[in-house]
Structures are given as C-alpha cells and as structure tokens.
Amino acid sequence: MLFFRKNLLLIIFIAACLQMSCQNDTDKDKFQNTDMYDLATPTIINLPQELDEISGIAYYPKDTSVFAIIDEDGLLFKIPIMHTENTRQWSFDHKRDYEDVILKDSTFYVLVSNGDLIKVDFINDSIVTGKIEFGETSKKVNEFETLYFDDSEKKMVVMCKSCEDDNKKKVSSFVYNDSSGNFTSYISLDPAAVVKKIEEDGKFVLKPSAGAINPVTKDLYIVCSVNKLLLITDREGNLKNAYRLNPKIYKQPEGITFTPAGDMIISNEISLQDHATLLILKNKKKAK
C-alpha cells in the first residue's frame, strides 16, 4: 500500500511538471520577445502604496529617476528607481481624471482624459500651472490616455483611447501647434493591421493607454492595457509589429517611457492584493 502511494505521488508530481512545462512552452509561443527587449523577464520594482493608481510616467535622466502621476489626484511624484522609499510628491491641481505625463525641456505636461493638458512648472520653491484646452467638440464622449513628445519632430501628440468619430475603424491622434495654440488631426492607427498581426477575432477594439518614442530606433511604442499589447509603429503610425503582453507580468500597464540608451520602463497599476510596479526592460542591443 505504501509502495502504491509513493508511486501515485510520483505520478502526480511528474504530471504537474509536464503540465507546467507545456504551459511554459505555450507562454513562449504566445508571448514573444522583441529584438530589443526580453518582455518575459523585466526587472520588477515594487512601488509604495501612494502610487497604487500610477498612470503616466516620464524618465528623468539627470538622476535616473521617474516622474509619475496617478489617476484621480493632481499629484506629481518623483520616484528614485533604486530607492523607491525616497519617493517625493507635489500637488499641482485638484481632482481630475489624469492619464499621462511628459517632460519637455523643464516643463511637465499632464494629460486629462478629455484631451486638456495641464502645464506644470517649478519656479524657485513654487509650482506654476496653466491649461491648454483640447477644444469643446465632442469633449464629453472622447477619451484620451496617451500623450507623447516626438523630439525629432518637436511635436506634442495626444492619442484617442475612445473617440466618437473613430467608430472603431481607426485610432486618431492630434498634434498641438505652439503657434496657434490649437490641436489638429495627426496620424491614425489601423486596428485592422493589429488584428491581422496578432490573429485576433472581429470583436477586437484597440484602446491605447500610453506611448513614447524610442530614442534609439525613433519608433513609436504604444502600450495597451485593455488589450494587453505592445505596439511598435513608425512615426507615421504604420504598424511594424505587435506583441501580446503576459497578464501575469503586465497586469495593468498604464505608462511607458525610455532612458536615452533605449531601456524601456512600463508602469503597472495595482492589481488585486499585489503592488503597483515599475517594469524595467534593458535594451539588449545597447553598445557595451
């Protein structure tokens, strides 16, 4: 009887190992790495509780830290990547639905979900803010989550997550014109190209969460939290590749930024009882 039990336990153990092996193989097939990044093995940095709702992020090369915003409160955070316990915060506005942030020169621009931008400057010991309004047309039914700056083109771009005129057939974006103070139509993404690349079904609706220009390749990288995707396009929005993100790692990816050397950083909102995180992905092609 003891012999039977030992053999039964051995059989169960072997079956479990085989199942795990098959599952790992399936994950490898489904969740591919890019040429530059091992998406399966990022360095994971847990964040303090006040950053549970972390959204957009911007890298600060002067001291290798990350600036971040959270969803509902007008707070700007500075996160030392290797010492998150020393995170600092500043209040810049009242409660709104904040989605993304960029650092252009010495000015922060924070995206509100309706397309407006909050301009944030540090002057001596004070914070000075201003607002750039997207416009009133369909403002209540349009939703934006992506703001990025194209340094090569000197363009600040907001991208739709869900805009009425897109009608699920495209994903529009708008560029801000400094001279006129207005937003005008810019590039658009083709969801059909994404569907073809990832072999998705017809119910697919593309919903970008954040974007940033890779300083090494000059491509636009877009993370989609709802779709669990990383898209790579050229600066005209033409799809180069699409990668499924493993939801065990990329639980709620809401922000993306790059270091000057091309290391990619993605922010994850809190998921269930877990921590909010920063995911650091080293540029494999970086010169040594």
Side-chain angles (χ1 to χ4, degrees):
M1 188 68 174
L2 181 61
F3 175 79
F4 173 77
R5 286 179 180 175
K6 286 183 177 179
N7 278 276
L8 179 60
L9 289 172
L10 179 61
I11 291 169
I12 293 172
F13 175 76
I14 293 172
C17 290
L18 288 172
Q19 184 178 8
M20 288 177 63
S21 176
C22 291
Q23 189 173 15
N24 289 336
D25 288 342
T26 301
D27 284 352
K28 287 179 182 179
D29 291 338
K30 186 175 182 180
F31 306 115
Q32 300 290 324
N33 291 318
T34 80
D35 291 340
M36 290 183 69
Y37 306 103
D38 288 330
L39 298 178
T41 57
T43 299
I44 301 175
I45 297 176
N46 291 332
L47 296 176
Q49 187 176 5
E50 57 265 32
L51 283 159
D52 282 353
E53 301 299 321
I54 189 171
S55 189
I57 54 175
Y59 184 70
Y60 188 60
K62 289 185 179 180
D63 59 8
T64 63
S65 59
V66 169
F67 280 93
I69 57 166
I70 56 177
D71 274 349
E72 296 181 358
D73 296 316
L75 297 173
L76 179 69
F77 295 83
K78 186 179 182 183
I79 310 166
I81 292 179
M82 301 311 297
H83 298 282
T84 59
E85 70 277 6
N86 294 329
T87 293
R88 300 174 62 192
Q89 70 179 61
W90 299 265
S91 176
F92 65 87
D93 202 1
H94 57 75
K95 285 184 177 290
R96 301 179 195 266
D97 191 5
Y98 302 102
E99 299 295 351
D100 211 346
V101 62
I102 62 170
L103 177 58
K104 178 186 174 187
D105 299 324
S106 59
T107 299
F108 294 93
Y109 294 85
V110 180
L111 174 66
V112 184
S113 62
N114 63 11
D116 291 346
L117 301 179
I118 306 298
K119 185 180 177 183
V120 181
D121 285 294
F122 286 82
I123 299 179
N124 298 323
D125 295 328
S126 300
I127 291 179
V128 178
T129 63
K131 181 191 280 190
I132 299 172
E133 294 204 1
F134 177 77
E136 295 300 326
T137 305
S138 299
K139 199 169 184 178
K140 292 183 179 180
V141 295
N142 290 340
E143 184 179 3
F144 301 84
E145 287 196 357
T146 300
L147 168 67
Y148 68 91
F149 181 66
D150 187 339
D151 187 61
S152 299
E153 301 289 333
K154 304 301 179 186
K155 292 178 178 178
M156 191 160 53
V157 182
V158 297
M159 182 173 288
C160 292
K161 178 183 181 182
S162 176
C163 286
E164 185 179 38
D165 292 341
D166 287 351
N167 196 26
K168 301 180 182 179
K169 295 181 180 179
K170 63 178 180 177
V171 174
S172 297
S173 69
F174 302 84
V175 63
Y176 178 69
N177 300 298
D178 288 306
S179 56
S180 66
N182 296 319
F183 288 91
T184 55
S185 293
Y186 192 47
I187 65 172
S188 62
L189 305 180
D190 180 9
V194 179
V195 168
K196 184 177 180 180
K197 178 66 72 171
I198 64 172
E199 300 179 351
E200 188 55 83
D201 61 35
K203 296 179 181 179
F204 178 84
V205 179
L206 185 61
K207 292 183 177 293
S209 299
I213 298 290
N214 186 317
V216 175
T217 66
K218 307 302 180 184
D219 289 328
L220 173 60
Y221 279 57
I222 300 166
V223 65
C224 307
S225 182
V226 172
N227 308 115
K228 295 294 185 289
L229 290 174
L230 176 68
L231 309 181
I232 303 175
T233 79
D234 62 21
R235 291 205 305 271
E236 286 70 49
N238 300 305
L239 185 68
K240 287 189 169 184
N241 222 322
Y243 298 89
R244 293 184 183 273
L245 297 175
N246 190 335
K248 296 176 184 176
I249 303 170
Y250 303 87
K251 298 175 182 180
Q252 197 167 339
E254 297 286 348
I256 183 172
T257 190
F258 289 92
T259 71
D263 295 336
M264 182 166 60
I265 306 173
I266 293 176
S267 59
N268 255 333
E269 281 191 14
I270 191 171
S271 176
L272 299 177
Q273 301 302 314
D274 206 347
H275 292 272
T277 58
L278 290 178
L279 307 178
I280 315 295
L281 299 107
K282 294 293 185 180
N283 171 12
K284 295 186 293 185
K285 294 187 174 182
K286 186 164 49 179
K288 296 182 179 180

